[in-house]
Amino acid sequence: MRIAIASDHAAIDLKAELRDWMIEQGHEVADLGPETTDSVDYPDYGYKLASVVADGTAERGVALCGSGIGISIAVNRNPACRSALVSEPLSAELARSHNDANVIAMGARLTGSDMAKACLEAFLSTDFLGDRHQRRVDKLSNPEM
C-alpha cells in the first residue's frame, strides 16, 4: 500500500518509528516531514498530507501531532479526506469499516509507540464495509446530499 505520513515537531520521533515499521511491513511510505524538531505549524503538514491522499498519490495517510487533534482538523478541511483521531485499535477498525477513513490521526503525547502500531495495523488491515455505510460516507464529502 502507498502511505503518506506527516507530523509536527512534537511527533517527529513517533513518525520516524511508524514510518520504519510500515516499511518493514512491506508498505511504500512517503515521509512528508518535518525532518527536525524545530517548531513548525501542524496545519501546513496536515494540508500537505491531505493533498497527496486526495489526489491519489497515497492510498492512506498517517497524521501525527502532539495531541492528534490539530493535524486531524487540518486534514479534514479537504473534502476528499476522512481523518479519524484514534487512540486504540477498535476506533481505528471502526473508522475504516464504517467511515471509510483514509487518514488516521494520533497524538504522540497521548499514544505510546506500541499502541500507535496496533492502531495503525488495525487501520491498514481493515476494509470499508460499504453497503449502508456508503450513503453516510458520501454525505461527509457532500453535505448537500
Side-chain angles (χ1 to χ4, degrees):
M1 189 177 299
R2 291 182 326 274
I3 304 164
I5 188 168
S7 72
D8 71 355
H9 55 279
I12 196 98
D13 291 337
L14 182 59
K15 177 176 66 83
E17 189 169 349
L18 294 178
R19 177 196 62 222
D20 294 347
W21 180 82
M22 287 187 291
I23 291 168
E24 288 172 9
Q25 301 301 308
H27 299 290
E28 179 184 329
V29 181
D31 186 337
L32 304 180
E35 298 304 318
T36 71
T37 57
D38 295 342
S39 183
V40 297
D41 296 333
Y42 58 80
D44 297 338
Y45 291 90
Y47 298 148
K48 184 189 267 190
L49 179 66
S51 177
V52 300
V53 171
D55 73 13
T57 302
E59 297 168 71
R60 303 250 178 99
V62 180
L64 308 166
C65 68
S67 67
I69 298 168
I71 200 164
S72 181
I73 292 169
V75 169
N76 280 322
R77 297 279 186 211
N78 187 314
C81 291
R82 293 169 303 282
S83 177
L85 175 61
V86 304
S87 59
E88 39 68 40
L90 180 57
S91 294
E93 179 183 331
L94 290 171
R96 281 289 310 135
S97 64
H98 288 201
N99 309 115
D100 198 19
N102 50 12
V103 177
I104 186 175
M106 293 180 280
R109 293 180 180 141
L110 305 173
T111 307
S113 170
D114 289 340
M115 183 60 73
K117 288 176 188 173
C119 290
L120 192 48
E121 183 173 8
F123 177 73
L124 295 175
S125 65
T126 302
D127 292 325
F128 177 50
L129 293 175
D131 195 34
R132 71 181 192 276
H133 302 289
Q134 185 64 59
R135 178 182 77 252
R136 298 166 186 148
V137 169
D138 290 342
K139 289 180 179 183
L140 293 174
S141 297
N142 189 359
E144 291 77 34
M145 286 182 72

